């Protein structure tokens, strides 16, 4: 694996590869890698000649500075895992390489409805920060395919909107990979490293809520299921941002079940300062 810290070096290398008519898959991450991230690398390796990954904890997407400071960093292990997985290139840039004019947020993308709800509502300007870094990274890597995890379902939707805004929809294919879970159901997440043993055990409640909603779909109303999941989370010690059941195509909250509608349940909840998100398609 070749490691680049300087964007101009990577750009030069990518441009040289491009002349050989190869395809490039790109997996952007914030590090503290786990098997979920590696599944994206595997998916990219299967379809592309070259897989490029990046590790960059993006200050512009953290609305809470203490969350940014506490974000886990395990760079040596990350490099090992990427190498093992057969990733070809890692970009590990400094903040001033990504943001030469500073990382303060510029409200520049009209992301529409998905920015106003759920994560967008609870994490002010988060998606502007995500789009800033993804836009910049795409300009550098110029991939044929961009690999994202369903774990961040709303983010996938926002990035699809970004593709239209930056006129990349027909140039870059977005590939959404399924959420990898621990054996007890907890979605793999870098933030799980911050959970102590008790919190870790309680965190499976999020999965149990989603699974309960999926199992009860059509049998009880969405409102009843949201209320039940909310109580289960509070009982386990969570502070709940949202439990939502929505149309999976547009994330509009649903009041009743309709035939032929693809639905999704989404949860965000915090246990002792560690905020976790997860989702599950219901049909
Ligand atoms: P992050 O490092 O959290 O920014 O995640 C980098 C990419 O990995 C994003 O596209 C995430 O959606 C994806 N990802 C994170 N967790 C998982 C998981 N458990 N399974 C599959 N993909 C994931």
């Amino acid at each position: 694996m070749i490691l680049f810290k300087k964007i101009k070096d990577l750009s030069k290398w990518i441009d040289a590869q491009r002349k050989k008519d190869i395809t490039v898959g790109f997996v952007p991450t914030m590090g503290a890698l786990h098997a979920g991230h590696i599944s994206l690398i595997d998916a990219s390796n299967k379809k592309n000649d070259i897989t490029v990954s990046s590790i960059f904890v993006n200050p512009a997407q953290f609305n809470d500075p203490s969350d940014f400071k506490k974000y886990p960093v395990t760079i040596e292990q990350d490099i090992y895992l990427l190498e093992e997985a057969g990733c070809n290139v890692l970009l590990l840039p400094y903040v001033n390489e990504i943001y030469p004019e500073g990382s303060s947020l510029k409200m520049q993308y009209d992301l529409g409805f998905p920015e106003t709800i759920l994560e967008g509502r609870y994490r002010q300007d988060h998606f502007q920060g995500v789009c800033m870094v993804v836009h910049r990274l795409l300009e550098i890597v110029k991939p044929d395919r961009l690999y994202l995890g369903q774990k961040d379902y709303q983010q996938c939707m926002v990035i699809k909107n970004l593709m239209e805004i930056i006129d990349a929809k027909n140039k870059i294919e977005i590939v959404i990979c399924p959420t990898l879970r621990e054996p007890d159901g907890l979605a793999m997440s870098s933030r799980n490293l911050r959970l102590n043993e008790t919190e870790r055990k309680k965190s499976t409640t999020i999965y149990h809520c989603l699974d309960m909603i999926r199992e009860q779909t059509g049998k009880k109303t969405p409102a009843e299921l949201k209320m039940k999941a909310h109580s289960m989370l509070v009982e386990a010690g969570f502070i709940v941002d949202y439990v939502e059941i929505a149309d999976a195509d547009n994330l509009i909250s649903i009041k009743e079940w309709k035939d032929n509608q693809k639905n999704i349940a989404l949860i965000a909840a915090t246990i002792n300062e560690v905020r976790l998100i997860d989702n599950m398609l219901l049909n």
Side-chain angles (χ1 to χ4, degrees):
M1 184 170 74
I2 313 174
L3 196 157
F4 291 97
K5 289 199 165 181
K6 293 249 155 96
I7 285 162
K8 72 170 184 352
D9 295 341
L10 174 63
S11 295
K12 221 160 96 184
W13 188 85
I14 291 269
D15 288 346
Q17 301 303 311
R18 282 265 166 230
K19 290 191 183 120
K20 297 182 205 159
D21 195 25
I22 47 104
T23 55
V24 177
F26 179 42
V27 182
T29 82
M30 296 206 297
L33 301 184
H34 49 69
H37 295 111
I38 299 304
S39 73
L40 272 57
I41 301 284
D42 292 342
S44 171
N45 278 343
K46 280 197 190 112
K47 272 272 203 172
N48 302 283
D49 300 307
I50 286 175
T51 294
V52 177
S53 186
S54 61
I55 295 179
F56 180 66
V57 186
N58 174 30
Q61 73 185 67
F62 284 82
N63 51 320
D64 172 359
S66 88
D67 189 25
F68 174 62
K69 269 203 193 124
K70 289 184 196 154
Y71 201 83
V73 176
T74 59
I75 199 66
E76 278 173 25
Q77 192 190 323
D78 293 351
I79 292 173
Y80 173 78
L81 289 175
L82 288 171
E83 227 156 13
E84 283 271 285
C87 179
N88 304 99
V89 173
L90 170 62
L91 173 64
L92 196 60
Y94 296 107
V95 176
N96 62 1
E97 282 272 308
I98 294 289
Y99 300 122
E101 288 160 26
S103 65
S104 56
L105 208 61
K106 297 169 198 78
M107 302 297 289
Q108 51 186 334
Y109 306 101
D110 180 8
L111 299 168
F113 177 71
E115 196 187 11
T116 64
I117 52 164
L118 307 174
E119 291 303 285
R121 180 164 163 231
Y122 283 91
R123 301 186 68 187
Q124 185 98 52
D125 302 336
H126 166 65
F127 287 127
Q128 290 292 323
V130 169
C131 287
M132 245 166 90
V133 77
V134 171
H135 188 180
R136 177 89 175 105
L137 290 168
L138 292 178
E139 279 176 347
I140 298 161
V141 179
K142 304 181 201 81
D144 299 279
R145 298 189 180 90
L146 172 65
Y147 290 80
L148 304 170
Q150 191 207 307
K151 159 88 171 28
D152 298 282
Y153 190 88
Q154 190 177 2
Q155 175 170 285
C156 294
M157 205 167 251
V158 163
I159 291 177
K160 280 183 187 165
N161 287 1
L162 174 71
M163 291 295 129
E164 299 213 10
I165 295 168
I166 64 174
D167 199 21
K169 199 177 161 209
N170 299 321
K171 296 176 200 142
I172 302 171
E173 181 190 345
I174 293 195
V175 183
I176 299 177
C177 301
T179 303
L180 252 70
R181 299 180 178 280
E182 300 290 353
D184 63 5
L186 178 67
M188 289 181 181
S189 164
S190 308
R191 286 193 165 85
N192 295 351
L193 290 174
R194 291 180 50 203
L195 299 168
N196 66 30
E197 205 179 320
T198 319
E199 293 156 5
R200 169 66 188 79
K201 276 193 192 133
K202 291 186 167 176
S203 294
T204 57
T205 310
I206 295 181
Y207 172 72
H208 292 144
C209 287
L210 293 169
D211 201 41
M212 178 278 293
I213 293 173
R214 188 189 51 74
E215 208 267 319
Q216 297 279 314
T217 292
K219 298 178 191 158
K220 291 191 173 154
T221 65
E224 283 168 335
L225 294 179
K226 287 197 279 188
M227 214 142 64
K228 185 166 174 195
H230 196 282
S231 306
M232 285 166 69
L233 288 162
V234 170
E235 202 162 306
F238 278 95
I239 295 168
V240 182
D241 277 354
Y242 57 80
V243 176
E244 188 53 283
I245 301 176
D247 183 328
D249 288 334
N250 50 33
L251 289 182
I252 294 175
S253 178
I254 62 159
K255 304 264 177 297
E256 56 191 33
W257 305 110
K258 287 194 187 123
D259 290 341
N260 305 325
Q261 190 177 48
K262 200 171 82 171
N263 295 315
I264 185 165
L266 309 105
I267 291 177
T270 301
I271 190 154
N272 289 347
E273 295 188 359
V274 184
R275 188 174 184 277
L276 301 174
I277 61 167
D278 198 357
N279 66 75
M280 194 179 279
L281 289 163
L282 302 179
N283 42 4

